[in-house]
């Protein structure tokens, strides 16, 4: 078991979104953090002290998911406006639009080489896209209801998907064939992901549990029932020894996968937690929720050197070995109930809000091109700065086929904007219904 040093601590606290924070991801270098929101914006936070943050606008409806590319030079976002956008995460960046699905797009994920994207949608389909050719490769159509999430495996050879039909499906990424289907979740499954070695697959959903299967044996090995409400998200630590989960019970929990128990329960959000994810190094993780807060936590999970662990994982994710054919280890399913008195941690620290951090808003001049169903346009970002260092926004990105458009009104922004209490309550209720399914 990894050694436990100090308790996790709240390192940073960002406020910039005006509605629920639905998705987040760290850049591969750990120098940037991207967050997406129901307020339709993407914010890229530069984590260096006193560095600016950049807000990107282009989506017409709520963002549902985002992910940095493996090289960190792109951020992909999905939205309820049926599109996927590729952003360059810098002030002079660009935005490229895929008209991806016939209904809201719920998730987006890069392949390990950054050459493909997989998207999941309310139209019951999973689609795989080529980024080099900017075209649709194929669609996966076995789900019978809304598909909530789809992810590539770390080696890019498998795709996992889940949805409101209660099924977790495993696909061969090269052939598009379904190779396995887990149907023991019983209700809507909201999130699915692989561990960093690609040997385990986990899913969470409306039954308030997290299930973990060993793909080498296709057996359920862990069933964690530690939350009192829907589990909206989770993330494996890079060492694969720990897992964080965020729930509509307003908590984030850290589970020790080796000992099979919850180590910590973290409090800080006022409402459902919709996203939680570790950094690539495992030294930090972020959580976001209906309250619009972005909390960055410093972990205490000081086990073996992460680089050594990740090198070991990379040796197992080879092109000529399938997780099903790898060396088998004994695996026995066992129920993980809440253990006696996990450590409760609240954000009772000094003020960690970055009061001096400004958000630079971008102006979009969008030209939409009728290339094909896969590619609908390219947006060019031109930053503007108001006097006194306060950002001025003019947002756009819509437009009609084959024409130019510039939309939006200008307004003064700060990183501490907030809605009235009644508006915030209404937004919270809407976000819970939209993302938690109740």
């Amino acid at each position: 078991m990894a050694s436990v040093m100090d308790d996790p601590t709240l390192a940073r606290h960002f406020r910039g979104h005006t509605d629920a924070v639905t998705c987040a991801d760290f850049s591969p270098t750990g120098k940037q953090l991207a967050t997406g929101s129901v307020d339709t914006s993407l914010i890229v936070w530069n984590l260096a002290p006193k560095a600016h943050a950049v807000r990107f606008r282009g989506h017409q409806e709520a963002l549902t998911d985002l992910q940095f590319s493996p090289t960190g030079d792109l951020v992909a976002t999905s939205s309820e406006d049926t599109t996927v956008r590729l952003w360059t995460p810098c002030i002079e960046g660009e935005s490229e639009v895929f008209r991806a699905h016939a209904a809201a797009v719920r998730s987006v994920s890069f392949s390990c080489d950054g050459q493909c994207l997989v998207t999941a949608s309310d139209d019951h389909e999973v689609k795989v896209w080529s980024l080099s050719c900017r075209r649709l490769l194929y669609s996966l159509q076995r789900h019978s209801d809304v598909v909530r999430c789809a992810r590539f495996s770390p080696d890019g050879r498998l795709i996992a998907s889940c949805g409101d039909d209660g099924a977790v499906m495993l696909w061969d990424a090269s052939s598009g064939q379904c190779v396995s289907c887990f149907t023991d979740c019983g209700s809507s499954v909201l999130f699915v992901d692989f561990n960093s070695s690609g040997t385990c697959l986990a899913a969470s959903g409306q039954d308030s549990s997290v299930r973990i299967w060993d793909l080498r044996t296709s057996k359920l090995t862990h069933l964690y029932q530690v939350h009192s409400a829907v589990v909206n998200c989770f993330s494996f630590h890079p060492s694969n020894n720990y897992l964080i989960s965020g729930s509509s019970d307003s908590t984030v929990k850290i589970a020790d996968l080796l000992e099979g128990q919850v180590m910590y329960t973290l409090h800080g959000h006022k409402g459902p937690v919709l996203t939680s994810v570790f950094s690539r190094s495992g030294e930090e993780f972020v959580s976001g929720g209906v309250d619009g807060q972005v909390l960055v936590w410093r972990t205490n999970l000081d086990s073996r050197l992460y680089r050594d662990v990740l090198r070991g994982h990379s040796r197992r994710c080879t092109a000529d070995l399938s997780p099903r054919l790898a060396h088998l280890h004994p695996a026995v399913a066992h129920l993980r109930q809440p253990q006696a008195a996990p450590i409760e941690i609240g954000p009772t620290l000094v003020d960690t809000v970055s009061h001096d951090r400004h958000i630079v808003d971008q102006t979009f001049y969008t030209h939409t091109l009728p290339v094909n169903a896969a590619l609908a346009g390219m947006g060019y970002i031109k930053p503007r700065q108001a006097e006194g260092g306060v950002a001025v926004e003019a947002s756009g990105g819509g437009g009609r086929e084959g024409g130019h458009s510039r939309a939006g009104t200008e307004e003064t922004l700060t990183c501490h904007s907030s809605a009235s209490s009644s508006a915030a309550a209404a937004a919270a209720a809407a976000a819970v219904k939209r993302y938690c399914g109740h």
Side-chain angles (χ1 to χ4, degrees), residues 383-407:
R384 295 182 62 191
Q385 189 82 10
E387 294 181 2
V390 180
V392 174
E393 171 195 31
S395 61
R400 53 189 177 80
E401 193 87 2
H404 296 269
S405 70
R406 177 181 176 183

Side-chain angles (χ1 to χ4, degrees), residues 228-265:
S228 60
V230 174
V231 181
N232 300 305
C233 54
F234 61 83
S235 178
F236 283 99
H237 188 267
S239 69
N240 290 337
N241 295 334
Y242 307 95
L243 180 139
I244 55 172
S245 55
S247 169
S248 291
D249 64 12
S250 305
T251 68
V252 176
K253 293 182 183 286
I254 303 178
D256 186 325
L257 299 182
L258 299 182
E259 295 295 317
Q261 65 183 17
V262 174
M263 300 168 59
Y264 299 100
T265 299

Side-chain angles (χ1 to χ4, degrees), residues 65-122:
D65 196 16
L66 65 83
Q67 192 175 83
F68 273 94
S69 65
T71 57
D73 59 344
L74 291 174
V75 176
T77 57
S78 59
S79 171
E80 291 184 354
D81 65 9
T82 76
T83 69
V84 169
R85 282 182 178 256
L86 296 177
W87 310 82
T88 304
C90 63
I91 288 182
E92 289 136 4
E94 297 178 350
S95 173
E96 187 174 349
V97 187
F98 288 83
R99 306 292 177 187
H101 288 268
V105 187
R106 292 294 168 188
S107 79
V108 63
S109 174
F110 282 96
S111 60
C112 59
D113 59 5
Q115 296 302 305
C116 293
L117 279 176
V118 61
T119 57
S121 171
D122 285 7

Side-chain angles (χ1 to χ4, degrees), residues 347-370:
T348 55
L349 305 177
V350 296
D351 187 7
T352 56
V353 181
S354 300
H355 292 287
D356 56 348
R357 189 175 297 261
H358 293 294
I359 299 179
V360 178
D361 284 82
Q362 304 303 334
T363 301
F364 285 83
Y365 299 86
T366 302
H367 177 49
T368 304
L369 302 173

Side-chain angles (χ1 to χ4, degrees), residues 17 199 324:
H17 291 290
T199 58
R324 294 174 173 276

